[in-house]
Amino acid sequence: MSAADLAIVTALIFAWGTLSARLERFDVTAPITFVLAGVILTHGPLAPLGFAPSHEAIKVLAEFTLVLVLFSDASRVGLRDLRHDMGLCLRLLGVGLPLTIGLGTLLALALFTGVNAWMALLIGAALAPTDAALGAGMIVNPAVPVRIRRLINVESGLNDGIATPFVLIAVAGLGTAEHASGIGPGEAVLELVLGVLIGAVVGGVGGFAVKIARQRDWAAEGFAGSAVLALAGCGYACSLALHGNGFIAAFVGGLAFGAIGGRRSEGLIPFVEETGALVSLLVWLSFGAVAVVPALRGLSWQIVVYAVLSLTVIRMLPVAVALLGGGLSRTAVLFVGWFGPRGLASVVFALIALEDLGESGAEPAVAAIAVTVLLSVLVHGASADPLARRYGPRLAPDAGGAEHAKAHHLPERRLIRRAA
């Protein structure tokens, strides 16, 4: 990144930081702001400034962001948060998510000509994770029962990590990326297994060390958060060094850290989340700079249809099947099904595919992901507040009793804060 690029990026972050509350009152969110900025800087009136992030820098940025997102989201979700609704969470993650990936893959094969099974899997898996931050108006609205908000939030926190192996196996199966050219799907599965083992060890040991250090006041408060940030990076790097999958190591490491570190570790996770939120702004900027305009130039009716189906049928039908017999009303099932925005994880997957597969190799996937995410940013951002106000009170019977009605802490996931 040149000095001019650095000046532009830091100026944008400063401007957002000073005006964010005002802009969010008008539903102008960080993702749409930085995507638009990326488009204007590279294809609009500010193009003469010469903003041109390198593909290598974008790949590193995207990978680092995904590591922080996977680690922090996994760290936030402990068993005590799931004890009341473990069954519903397992339904969404164990039934709904695989069905979403499968249905998305099948429809990609049916709609897009010249797309093989691996490319279809890449599209279906990359667009399966949800991002609760894009429905922030609903997540922070007290009119919606805490139980429903928690269910959506927990699902969003974990499904990106579960979808990651499918995305990476699809990239390996395409066989054209620099990394994938030397391995096949079988080797990719072995990498995933190593990632699980390494992540569990690094995260578990780190969680235990942090727990003991904080109990005995060995860790200075100003540096404890940095230690957890470094732990996330350490798990990722150790896995890569031992030929494992770094993303799975980050996700499993976060789970192990949160489980073993216990309450002593909870206060440190926001530091990782804040860092991830800051870096995610650059991911949205890069997405707008390198992916949006090419996707719109190649826009076709198939892509538009797929984007609409991705946010409706491909999401809502698997959710309805997964929650069948789960005790929720039809309104609650539709509500949970609708609030499945596609956001940061899908963007990161698209940027990684773009770098690994090249523009020509990743074009079908990047186009479908870009259009779907843009549509999601618009429709979910616009509908979050109105639907929460209108249907939130109707969901009161789904609150689940006094134990669910308590205002348990709902973690403010990346970019989920809203102006008061």
Side-chain angles (χ1 to χ4, degrees):
M1 179 180 289
S2 67
D5 289 345
L6 181 61
I8 292 170
V9 168
T10 52
L12 280 172
I13 294 174
F14 174 78
W16 171 255
T18 55
L19 299 174
S20 55
R22 181 67 175 174
L23 292 173
E24 286 182 344
R25 290 192 182 100
F26 298 98
D27 290 324
V28 180
T29 62
I32 196 61
T33 299
F34 279 79
V35 168
L36 182 61
V39 173
I40 293 174
L41 283 170
T42 53
H43 299 89
L46 298 182
L49 292 177
F51 178 73
S54 69
H55 281 190
E56 183 60 31
I58 291 174
K59 180 184 179 183
V60 172
L61 180 67
E63 290 178 347
F64 180 62
T65 304
L66 186 56
V67 167
L68 297 185
V69 167
L70 293 173
F71 186 91
S72 61
D73 280 355
S75 300
R76 276 291 199 182
V77 183
L79 291 178
R80 60 180 174 277
D81 299 312
L82 304 178
R83 64 185 183 273
H84 296 305
D85 289 313
M86 177 71 78
L88 294 179
C89 292
L90 291 178
R91 284 167 174 259
L92 286 175
L93 296 170
V95 178
L97 183 61
L99 286 178
T100 300
I101 294 173
L103 185 57
T105 300
L106 291 176
L107 286 178
L109 278 172
L111 276 175
F112 301 123
T113 57
V115 167
N116 62 24
W118 293 117
M119 182 62 71
L121 177 60
L122 175 59
I123 295 172
L127 284 172
T130 59
D131 188 348
L134 296 185
M138 179 276 299
I139 289 292
V140 299
N141 195 321
V144 181
V146 172
R147 182 189 188 191
I148 300 299
R149 289 185 282 144
R150 183 192 298 115
L151 184 62
I152 295 172
N153 205 40
V154 169
E155 179 201 12
S156 175
L158 293 180
N159 58 17
D160 42 11
I162 298 172
T164 298
F166 295 93
V167 172
L168 298 176
I169 289 174
V171 172
L174 287 168
T176 56
E178 178 181 349
H179 173 64
S181 60
I183 65 172
E187 289 82 355
V189 172
L190 178 60
E191 286 191 356
L192 300 180
V193 173
L194 287 173
V196 169
L197 297 176
I198 295 167
V201 171
V202 173
V205 171
F208 180 76
V210 167
K211 181 179 180 179
I212 296 299
R214 301 203 83 193
Q215 284 176 342
R216 302 183 180 183
D217 292 326
W218 290 349
E221 288 298 321
F223 289 97
S226 301
V228 180
L229 180 67
L231 183 67
C234 180
Y236 173 75
C238 286
S239 185
L240 291 184
L242 297 174
H243 306 291
N245 186 280
F247 298 125
I248 299 304
F251 179 69
V252 175
L255 288 174
F257 177 81
I260 296 178
R263 294 191 178 277
R264 293 280 180 177
S265 67
E266 287 182 354
L268 305 179
I269 299 303
F271 183 87
V272 182
E273 290 179 326
E274 290 294 336
T275 305
L278 175 62
V279 180
S280 73
L281 299 179
L282 306 184
V283 173
W284 288 110
L285 182 68
S286 301
F287 179 67
V290 304
V292 172
V293 171
L296 294 179
R297 284 175 180 166
L299 192 64
S300 64
W301 69 266
Q302 292 95 334
I303 292 176
V304 174
V305 169
Y306 189 89
V308 173
L309 291 176
S310 180
L311 302 182
T312 53
V313 176
I314 296 175
R315 159 68 183 179
M316 300 177 77
L317 182 59
V319 167
V321 172
L323 296 180
L324 188 65
L328 296 182
S329 68
R330 182 179 301 177
T331 301
V333 172
L334 291 174
F335 194 87
V336 172
W338 171 247
F339 281 105
R342 306 312 197 277
L344 185 62
S346 297
V347 169
V348 171
F349 291 145
L351 292 175
I352 291 174
L354 185 64
E355 173 61 24
D356 282 351
L357 303 176
E359 289 188 17
S360 60
E363 182 180 359
V366 172
I369 294 169
V371 174
T372 304
V373 170
L374 285 174
L375 183 60
S376 180
V377 167
L378 295 174
V379 299
H380 286 108
S383 65
D385 283 322
L387 291 182
R389 288 195 301 267
R390 181 170 181 177
Y391 291 101
R394 300 186 188 182
L395 301 175
D398 298 285
E403 71 274 13
H404 291 292
K406 295 178 182 179
H408 295 295
H409 176 62
L410 279 176
E412 292 187 331
R413 299 177 67 251
R414 54 195 180 278
L415 299 177
I416 207 169
R417 292 172 178 79
R418 293 294 302 271

